[in-house]
């Protein structure tokens, strides 16, 4: 923080102006003016632990209510001063209700000034007992301290408490009334423990603790000091530390000790190293870094992002069965708000490849994240932040940079031929999405199930909501890509009317049931109702090809219709024929990467007509004619000679 503004409040005569003057002059100054002007305290005067460029101290008068209220609203912290029993009572009866009525939520440092009047032990004990009810009853109160402007006693310490209340606030961390860490603080510290427990054995080993120390404070501690910490924890709660390391309970106990001993800076050093804000939420700049996405570009995972997610999968596949079961998924998503809502909406893990037990495999895990990044990269970015993704910057400091786990593709270009605009080919993308359009019961759901390697089922239930599946597709040459296939369900017409949705679609799969004579007419009607579909690369598919083919009773037959659109004839596919499925997926990806050959109504590029005669043919012909003429002449000459 660059500047902290401290407003000094209290009843008349408690010594507010004297405290400010004593702080600045470092000695007591008698006979000062009633209200001194704002004082700017430079950085050099501040405690080196608090990164503050300057601190402004604002004196106030209790009788000037309008000015007092204005200054309170402009400030970051309240320095509330009292000096006797009457002004002490006024804290709870007048001052704190006043602050609350203004709607401000500022930390309060309560200062008992003029403590030099009675320095007896009994008086000190009584004053300390005065502080306890204030700390317990008012959550705004950060700290209480005894001071003397006349003796310059604890004046600097009170000033530092004001700074610390802003830079390292206590109220989000600790509940004095209950004497324990607050729930949000516990949640944050448990997440930090989880991220630092790199082998996920439930302990912070010595090495893991030292790495945490280095990350948070850029310095290490020796083994003897670490052993002292572990012994102290075991003295409070036996078993909270052992040869294996410090447990999560011991880690919370250690941080509770930091708070109760006034070492707010230590616990905030840990929290801020993991990018927690004063409200104990993770900084939005970490979860949602600003990323400029050019129009017609898409977002994919970078190799760094894929590696991180692979390592995460391997770490939590504790039984090494190649799949994440429910318990393993729960542990994996522990430092996050849970499995993303979009995954639940898409019926994860049914949307990806699973093993025989129904657990998501590594192939399915990477496919799911590829789809999430393509459809909503902000969700991927946020969850990478929750998972603790980190990269090294050029200056070798660990910093969150979730954007380095993402790759932004080049903007797709557009071309024009014979007045029709079409999408140009792309070569740097590996994730594509496909909308499946077709009449109810034509086999779209079975197509998705087969795409994920699941056996065919005769059971049929109409698709109400959107159904989605994603899997990797291997192209000729070994290149791998991911294809997202979406069955639109009852919102089919709404999506096909949405230009923005269609622009994000790479290829349309028009599917019909080759064994149902009424099935193809649905596609013709869809095309007639939604003219914009002619701008999207399209592939026509005849499903259920293992059944008897029926003549389609439609305005146009499939083959002539696709030919009129300058498209390839329908592919005949069966969910039971694996080679045909592979052919379809490759065909869909080819149409997405090179739309020129799959855009409806786009005339094929004219080819150069082959000339009837070329120079070689003409030359050979001339030589042949000359040879024939010579032979004829010679033949005539010889005959003449004989005569």
């Amino acid at each position: 923080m660059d500047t902290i503004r401290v407003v000094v409040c209290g009843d008349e005569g408690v010594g507010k102006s004297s405290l400010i003057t004593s702080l600045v002059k470092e000695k007591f100054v008698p006979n000062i003016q009633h209200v001194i002007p704002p004082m700017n305290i430079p950085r050099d005067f501040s405690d080196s632990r608090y990164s503050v460029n300057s601190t402004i101290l604002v004196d106030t008068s209790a009788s000037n209510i309008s000015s007092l209220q204005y200054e309170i609203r402009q400030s970051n912290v309240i320095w509330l001063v009292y000096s006797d029993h009457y002004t002490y009572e006024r804290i709870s009866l007048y001052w704190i209700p006043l602050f609350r009525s203004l709607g401000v939520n500022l930390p309060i440092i309560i200062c008992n000034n003029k403590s030099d009047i009675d320095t007896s032990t009994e008086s000190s004990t009584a004053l300390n007992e005065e502080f306890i009810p204030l700390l317990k009853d008012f959550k705004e109160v950060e700290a209480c301290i005894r001071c003397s402007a006349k003796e310059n006693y604890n004046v600097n310490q009170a000033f530092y408490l004001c700074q610390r209340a802003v830079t390292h606030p206590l109220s989000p961390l600790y509940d004095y009334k209950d004497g324990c860490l607050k729930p949000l603080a516990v949640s944050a510290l448990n997440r930090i423990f989880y991220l630092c427990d790199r082998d996920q054995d439930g302990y912070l080993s010595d090495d893991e603790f030292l790495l945490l120390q280095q990350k948070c404070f850029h310095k290490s501690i020796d083994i003897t000091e670490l052993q002292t910490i572990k012994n102290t924890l075991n003295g409070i709660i036996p078993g909270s530390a052992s040869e294996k390391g410090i447990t999560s309970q011991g880690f919370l106990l250690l941080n509770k000790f930091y708070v109760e001993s006034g070492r707010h800076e230590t616990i905030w050093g840990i929290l801020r190293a993991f990018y927690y804000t004063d409200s104990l939420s993770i900084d939005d700049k970490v979860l949602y870094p600003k990323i400029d996405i050019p129009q017609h570009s898409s977002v994919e995972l970078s190799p760094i992002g894929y590696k991180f997610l692979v390592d995460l999968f391997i770490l939590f596949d504790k039984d090494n069965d190649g799949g994440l079961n429910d318990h393993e998924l729960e542990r994996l998503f522990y430092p996050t708000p849970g499995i993303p809502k979009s995954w639940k909406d898409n019926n994860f893990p049914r949307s990806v490849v699973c093993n025989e037990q129904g657990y998501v495999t590594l192939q399915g895990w990477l496919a799911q994240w590829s789809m999430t990044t393509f459809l909503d990269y902000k969700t991927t970015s946020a969850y990478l932040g929750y998972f603790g993704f980190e990269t090294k910057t050029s200056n070798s400091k660990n910093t969150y940079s979730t954007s380095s786990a993402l790759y932004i593709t080049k903007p797709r270009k557009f071309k024009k031929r014979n007045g029709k605009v079409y999408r140009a080919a792309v070569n740097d993308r590996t994730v594509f999405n496909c909308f499946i359009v077709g009449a109810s019961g034509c086999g779209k759901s079975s197509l998705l199930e087969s795409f994920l390697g699941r056996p065919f089922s005769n059971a049929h239930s109409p698709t109400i909501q959107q159904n989605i599946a994603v899997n990797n597709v291997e192209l000729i040459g070994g290149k791998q890509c991911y294809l997202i296939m979406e069955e639109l369900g009852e919102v089919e017409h709404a999506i096909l009317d949405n230009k923005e949705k269609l622009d994000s679609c790479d290829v349309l799969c028009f599917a019909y049931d080759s064994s149902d004579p009424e099935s193809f007419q649905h596609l013709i009607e869809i095309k007639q109702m939604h003219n914009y579909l002619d701008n999207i690369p399209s592939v026509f598919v005849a499903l259920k090809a293992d059944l008897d083919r029926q003549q389609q009773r439609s305005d146009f037959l499939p083959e002539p219709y696709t030919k009129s659109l300058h498209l390839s004839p329908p592919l005949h596919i069966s969910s039971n024929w694996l080679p045909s499925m592979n052919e379809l997926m490759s065909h869909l990806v080819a149409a997405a990467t090179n739309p020129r050959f799959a855009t409806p109504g786009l005339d094929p590029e004219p080819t150069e007509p082959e000339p009837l005669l070329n120079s070689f043919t003409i030359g050979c012909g001339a030589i042949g004619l000359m040879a024939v003429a010579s032979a004829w002449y010679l033949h005539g000459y010889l005959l003449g000679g004989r005569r």
Side-chain angles (χ1 to χ4, degrees):
M1 181 174 289
D2 292 334
T3 302
I4 292 177
R5 194 174 180 90
V6 182
V7 58
V8 186
C9 301
D11 292 318
E12 301 295 342
V14 295
K16 302 187 295 296
S17 303
S18 295
L19 280 172
I20 297 173
T21 307
S22 179
L23 174 70
V24 176
K25 300 293 186 180
E26 297 185 350
K27 64 179 181 178
F28 178 69
V29 180
N31 302 322
I32 57 176
Q33 62 192 86
H34 180 60
V35 178
I36 62 176
M39 305 288 289
N40 193 334
I41 312 298
R43 180 189 180 99
D44 293 342
F45 199 90
S46 302
D47 193 311
S48 61
R49 293 170 294 178
Y50 312 129
S51 301
V52 180
N53 289 336
S54 65
T55 304
I56 300 175
L57 287 172
V58 180
D59 195 7
T60 62
S61 171
S63 59
N64 191 342
I65 298 299
S66 60
S67 175
L68 174 65
Q69 292 178 347
Y70 173 80
E71 293 298 347
I72 290 172
R73 288 193 173 99
Q74 299 301 311
S75 297
N76 304 109
V77 58
I78 298 171
W79 188 351
L80 182 57
V81 184
Y82 77 95
S83 60
D84 53 28
H85 183 72
Y86 171 74
T87 53
Y88 169 80
E89 293 291 335
R90 291 260 296 168
I91 290 175
S92 57
L93 296 176
Y94 174 76
W95 284 104
I96 293 183
L98 171 65
F99 301 147
R100 289 180 174 180
S101 69
L102 295 177
V104 297
N105 186 25
L106 299 177
I108 300 172
I109 303 300
I110 293 179
C111 174
N112 169 232
N113 193 24
K114 303 183 181 180
S115 60
D116 56 286
I117 295 176
D118 187 355
T119 58
S120 64
T121 304
E122 293 80 5
S123 176
S124 299
T125 303
L127 286 171
N128 289 334
E129 290 177 352
E130 286 181 349
F131 295 155
I132 296 174
L134 296 175
L135 290 167
K136 286 188 174 182
D137 295 341
F138 303 107
K139 63 181 181 59
E140 304 96 322
V141 177
E142 287 275 332
C144 301
I145 189 170
R146 301 174 64 230
C147 296
S148 171
K150 186 174 182 179
E151 299 293 334
N152 199 21
Y153 169 70
N154 272 352
V155 178
N156 282 356
Q157 285 73 8
F159 172 68
Y160 297 149
L161 286 176
C162 291
Q163 289 184 321
R164 187 177 70 172
V166 178
T167 60
H168 302 85
L170 175 64
S171 57
L173 304 178
Y174 192 75
D175 189 333
Y176 264 110
K177 189 173 184 178
D178 296 331
C180 61
L181 293 171
K182 290 187 175 180
L184 284 178
V186 172
S187 177
L189 291 169
N190 278 332
R191 174 178 173 270
I192 291 172
F193 178 91
Y194 168 97
L195 295 178
C196 295
D197 181 15
R198 295 175 182 269
D199 55 5
Q200 289 298 304
D201 65 347
Y203 294 88
L204 281 186
S205 66
D206 292 353
D207 289 340
E208 290 168 342
F209 189 87
L210 293 176
L211 284 173
L212 171 64
Q213 175 78 14
Q214 184 66 39
K215 174 182 174 64
C216 299
F217 308 108
H218 307 296
K219 62 181 181 181
S220 186
I221 58 176
D222 57 40
I223 299 299
T224 303
E225 187 176 353
L226 177 56
Q227 189 59 47
T228 301
I229 292 174
K230 293 164 72 173
N231 292 338
T232 303
L233 294 177
N234 278 326
I236 301 173
I237 301 180
S240 58
S242 65
E243 292 183 359
K244 290 184 177 180
I246 298 173
T247 65
S248 59
Q249 185 183 28
F251 185 65
L252 290 176
L253 181 64
L254 179 62
N255 282 279
K256 182 173 180 284
F257 169 76
Y258 289 150
V259 174
E260 292 176 339
S261 60
R263 295 174 59 183
H264 304 178
E265 303 84 358
T266 302
I267 187 170
W268 274 114
I270 296 172
L271 291 168
R272 286 183 176 149
F274 288 85
Y275 293 88
Y276 279 92
T277 65
D278 290 352
S279 61
L280 292 182
S281 61
I282 302 174
D283 194 335
D284 280 350
K285 293 180 180 178
V286 174
L287 301 180
Y288 306 103
K290 185 178 179 180
I291 303 175
D292 293 325
I293 311 297
Q295 188 178 14
H296 306 303
S297 290
S298 61
V299 184
E300 302 179 0
L301 285 166
S302 69
I304 296 175
Y306 276 117
K307 182 181 184 305
F308 177 81
L309 292 170
V310 169
D311 292 342
L312 202 63
F313 182 96
I314 294 173
L315 176 62
F316 284 90
D317 182 18
K318 294 297 184 181
D319 52 10
N320 295 318
D321 65 346
L324 295 178
N325 59 40
D326 293 342
H327 175 70
E328 291 168 341
L329 276 175
E330 182 181 356
R331 283 295 302 162
L332 190 153
F333 280 99
Y334 176 80
T336 76
I339 293 177
K341 182 179 180 301
S342 61
W343 291 26
K344 296 178 180 178
D345 293 342
N346 294 331
N347 201 24
F348 174 83
R350 291 291 300 176
S351 56
V352 295
V353 174
C354 298
N355 61 17
E356 294 179 354
Q357 290 75 35
Y359 304 148
V360 59
T361 63
L362 178 59
Q363 177 183 348
W365 172 254
L366 296 180
Q368 183 72 27
W369 280 112
S370 298
M371 176 176 67
T372 303
T373 307
F374 180 85
L375 298 178
D376 181 17
Y377 74 89
K378 290 184 178 180
T379 296
T380 298
S381 175
Y383 273 78
L384 287 171
Y386 290 129
F387 287 135
F389 174 84
E390 288 181 317
T391 56
K392 292 272 190 177
T393 59
S394 57
N395 57 7
S396 298
K397 291 183 179 180
N398 284 335
T399 57
Y400 276 101
S401 180
T402 53
S403 58
S404 65
L406 306 178
Y407 170 72
I408 301 171
T409 66
K410 297 176 182 177
R412 186 192 284 275
K413 296 181 180 180
F414 293 83
K415 294 184 177 181
K416 189 173 183 180
R417 189 168 80 242
N418 296 334
K420 184 175 179 64
V421 177
Y422 65 98
R423 301 174 179 182
V426 294
N427 54 20
D428 69 329
R429 286 182 52 183
T430 60
V431 182
F432 304 92
N433 71 330
C434 168
F435 291 168
I436 308 175
V437 180
S440 177
C442 72
K444 301 186 296 295
S445 298
S446 295
L447 177 63
L448 294 187
E449 291 292 298
S450 180
F451 179 46
L452 298 177
R454 297 185 183 128
F456 173 76
S457 172
N458 286 317
H460 170 69
S461 59
T463 301
I464 307 297
Q465 297 181 343
Q466 288 179 261
N467 190 16
I468 198 166
V470 58
N471 199 359
N472 63 309
V473 176
E474 184 173 349
L475 305 179
I476 298 175
K479 181 181 178 180
Q480 297 279 341
C481 68
Y482 289 97
L483 182 63
I484 306 165
M485 302 192 73
E486 295 187 57
E487 184 183 1
L488 306 181
E490 291 191 345
V491 296
E492 181 177 85
H493 286 287
I495 291 178
L496 298 182
D497 273 334
N498 190 325
K499 181 178 179 298
E500 184 179 353
K501 287 280 188 182
L502 290 176
D503 284 339
S504 67
C505 173
D506 293 300
V507 59
L508 289 167
C509 179
F510 289 100
Y512 69 97
D513 181 355
S514 62
S515 66
D516 179 3
E518 309 294 338
S519 187
F520 191 75
Q521 180 63 27
H522 177 80
L523 299 182
I524 295 176
E525 293 171 357
I526 287 288
K527 292 280 289 181
Q528 291 172 345
M529 292 173 62
H530 307 283
N531 295 329
Y532 192 72
L533 298 183
D534 285 341
N535 297 294
I536 314 299
S538 304
V539 174
F540 282 78
V541 182
L543 300 177
K544 304 183 183 180
D546 55 329
L547 303 180
D548 291 337
R549 186 185 305 185
Q550 299 292 323
Q551 182 78 10
Q552 293 294 315
R553 292 195 289 266
S554 56
D555 296 341
F556 302 95
L557 294 179
E559 284 76 9
Y561 183 73
T562 53
K563 186 175 181 180
S564 69
L565 297 175
H566 304 294
L567 298 177
S568 300
L571 295 172
H572 289 267
I573 303 298
S574 170
S575 298
N576 293 321
W577 299 345
L578 182 60
S580 71
M581 287 295 301
N582 294 337
E583 180 186 5
L584 171 61
M585 300 310 157
S586 298
H587 204 78
L588 290 171
V589 173
T593 55
N594 198 355
R596 181 168 64 89
F597 301 103
T599 303
L602 188 63
D603 295 333
E605 290 185 352
T607 57
E608 290 292 332
E610 187 173 345
L612 296 177
L613 296 174
N614 56 32
S615 57
F616 178 77
T617 304
I618 294 172
C620 291
I623 294 173
L625 288 173
M626 291 176 62
V628 171
S630 299
W632 179 258
Y633 175 80
L634 181 59
H635 177 68
Y637 174 79
L638 292 174
L639 289 177
R642 286 181 180 178
R643 292 189 183 103

